[in-house]
Amino acid sequence: MYLATTGRPDAPPAPSGVRRRVPGTVLALGAVSLVTDVSSEMVTAVLPLYLVLGLGLSPLQFGLLDGLSTGATAVVRLLGGATADRGGRHKQVGGLGYALSACSRLGLLIAGGATGWIATAITADRLGKGVRTAPRDALITLHSPPEDLGRAFGTHRAMDTTGALLGPLAAFALLWATADAYDAVFAVSFSVGAFGVLLWVLLVPGRTRGDKKAPVVPAEARARGGFLGGLLGGPRSPEYRRIVICAGILGAATIGDAFLYLLLQRRLAFDATWFPFLPLGAAAVYLLLAVPAGRLADRAGRRAPLLYGHGALLLAYGLLLAPLPDPVVLLGVLLLLGVFYAATDGVLMALAGPFLTEGRQASGLAVVQTAQALARLGAAVAFGAVWTASGPETALVAALLALTAALCCAARLLPATPSAPSERSD
């Protein structure tokens, strides 16, 4: 059980053997993410089914829709991070992102079968996610001791993943109760998302690092880079740049979860009614391993878990191609996908944390996230195109080879976690 504390993250370290508490702000952010993920995963769980099997979109069309809506967050992530850093407006900017995502559910509700309106609603949801992610992760970084960032992000991601578990269950229950009425899923999703916004307003503090006044970007840094410098600007250390490059390289070899679930559904040929349950297996593994993976990363270094996590994803690709019994493939892919997220999602942010400049936490994390998002845009479009042109097996082989090459590059480029936090400047 993780107990809250409002103590300053820059307080003296706890004596050896004493278990430090997870900051209260991290738990508040986790509660907001839990509720918001129930809302978002209700839609995410049924959307591939709705678009591909319901509306008849081809894999290429779905890849374009998914990839372009994800890529649309790129500039917004940078703008959101830079805006949040200027004056310490992390709470205001993050809240705007949560509100935009909640309202996107109304767009899906009124879109009907119009692909253009559906694309607009999905893009609005991704834009909201892009706006809020960097300020939220910056708040975790600012309210946590640098040596405990892995555990802090792991705790947040575990709470977030609890919502990811509950969302598909709620979606499936609604589809069963309403005879496949997708509108009911979208309506309930909007209501839950609005509750998440309310929690953000009530629970999340606006201060950072325990200061009465939030830190701002130093004047000399603003003079050198201005707002554009804030957009592009995390720290300029070689280690930080290598993290950004590796986030892009690994993202370019990562196909979306929706494609993996569609491949499982295609191979196992199970009834489409069970499709919303697929994310539950991966989410359950992620939930169980997120905190242990974060704590391991704090103790043993954050580089190795990130690489091993992508190795788990590589094995998942291989399982989908292997001539193994269907139950083995199903359980293996979901297990490995959960390991992948537990070992990479929060760990990547924790790896970048010690290399961020004071006052540039949100924009620095936004650059890492944007590099990853743009790379995954290309990966989604490329995978959908190869699937449409040459079949799913050829697309999977290409993805497997690409991820193998990306892992080799990342193993050479990724920096190690600093043994002690150090102040970094532009």
Side-chain angles (χ1 to χ4, degrees):
M1 175 112 183
Y2 294 91
L3 302 176
T5 180
T6 56
R8 290 170 58 100
D10 53 353
S16 178
V18 176
R19 190 175 185 179
R20 288 183 292 269
R21 297 176 177 180
V22 175
T25 298
V26 174
L27 297 181
L29 291 166
V32 174
S33 293
L34 188 158
V35 173
T36 302
D37 240 37
V38 171
S39 170
S40 62
E41 292 301 323
M42 286 180 67
V43 174
T44 301
V46 302
L47 204 57
L49 186 67
Y50 179 57
L51 296 178
V52 176
L53 302 182
L55 300 182
L57 269 64
S58 70
L60 175 57
Q61 289 174 313
F62 179 73
L64 285 169
L65 185 61
D66 184 65
L68 289 174
S69 60
T70 301
T73 68
V75 175
V76 174
R77 285 175 189 265
L78 295 174
L79 287 169
T83 303
D85 279 338
R86 292 177 70 87
R89 294 189 290 264
H90 301 90
K91 179 170 182 175
Q92 293 88 332
V93 175
L96 176 63
Y98 280 104
L100 182 58
S101 290
C103 291
S104 72
R105 315 289 185 244
L106 289 180
L108 288 171
L109 191 60
I110 66 176
T115 305
W117 284 106
I118 292 173
T120 301
I122 294 173
T123 301
D125 175 53
R126 301 294 171 84
L127 289 174
K129 184 177 178 61
V131 168
R132 72 178 184 254
T133 301
R136 181 202 66 201
D137 286 350
L139 284 172
I140 296 174
T141 301
L142 289 165
H143 286 272
S144 304
E147 67 274 14
D148 286 342
L149 278 176
R151 186 180 65 157
F153 276 103
T155 300
H156 173 268
R157 297 313 196 250
M159 297 178 72
D160 181 89
T161 306
T162 301
L165 269 171
L166 297 175
L169 284 174
F172 179 81
L174 280 171
L175 289 178
W176 177 80
T178 60
D180 296 339
Y182 289 96
D183 286 354
V185 175
F186 301 150
V188 173
S189 174
F190 165 72
S191 300
V192 176
F195 180 60
V197 175
L198 179 63
L199 289 180
W200 175 274
V201 173
L202 296 178
L203 298 181
V204 176
R207 296 185 303 174
T208 58
R209 289 274 184 204
D211 296 332
K212 292 184 179 180
K213 185 176 180 180
V216 298
V217 178
E220 61 273 16
R222 292 199 307 269
R224 288 197 300 268
F227 190 69
L228 180 61
L231 282 178
L232 301 177
R236 296 171 185 170
S237 68
E239 297 91 346
Y240 172 80
R241 290 174 178 172
R242 294 205 299 269
I243 292 172
V244 174
I245 291 170
C246 289
I249 291 173
L250 293 170
T254 303
I255 64 175
D257 297 355
F259 274 124
L260 289 178
Y261 298 145
L262 286 171
L263 287 166
L264 278 173
Q265 197 276 336
R266 179 182 180 277
R267 171 163 177 169
L268 276 61
F270 54 78
D271 190 277
T273 306
W274 298 97
F275 190 88
F277 276 115
L278 287 179
L280 297 181
V285 176
Y286 186 9
L287 174 62
L288 291 174
L289 297 182
V291 174
R295 297 182 68 183
L296 176 64
D298 287 337
R299 294 177 179 178
R302 294 157 190 163
R303 180 179 179 274
L306 189 65
L307 294 173
Y308 288 134
H310 283 87
L313 183 63
L314 184 69
L315 291 176
Y317 293 174
L319 271 182
L320 285 167
L321 294 166
L324 295 172
D326 287 348
V328 174
V329 174
L330 175 63
L331 294 176
V333 169
L334 296 180
L335 172 65
L336 290 168
L337 190 59
V339 171
F340 163 67
Y341 279 114
T344 61
D345 188 13
V347 172
L348 176 60
M349 298 296 100
L351 177 62
F355 301 106
L356 299 175
T357 305
E358 183 67 22
R360 293 278 187 88
Q361 285 88 356
S363 54
L365 292 175
V367 172
V368 177
Q369 295 161 358
T370 297
Q372 189 177 63
L374 287 176
R376 288 181 174 177
L377 159 64
V381 175
F383 188 85
V386 176
W387 182 344
T388 301
S390 304
E393 288 78 13
T394 301
L396 260 179
V397 170
L400 190 147
L401 294 175
L403 184 53
T404 301
L407 271 171
C408 292
C409 292
R412 295 180 62 88
L413 291 175
L414 277 175
T417 305
S419 55
S422 61
E423 290 296 327
R424 302 193 179 259
S425 63
D426 285 340

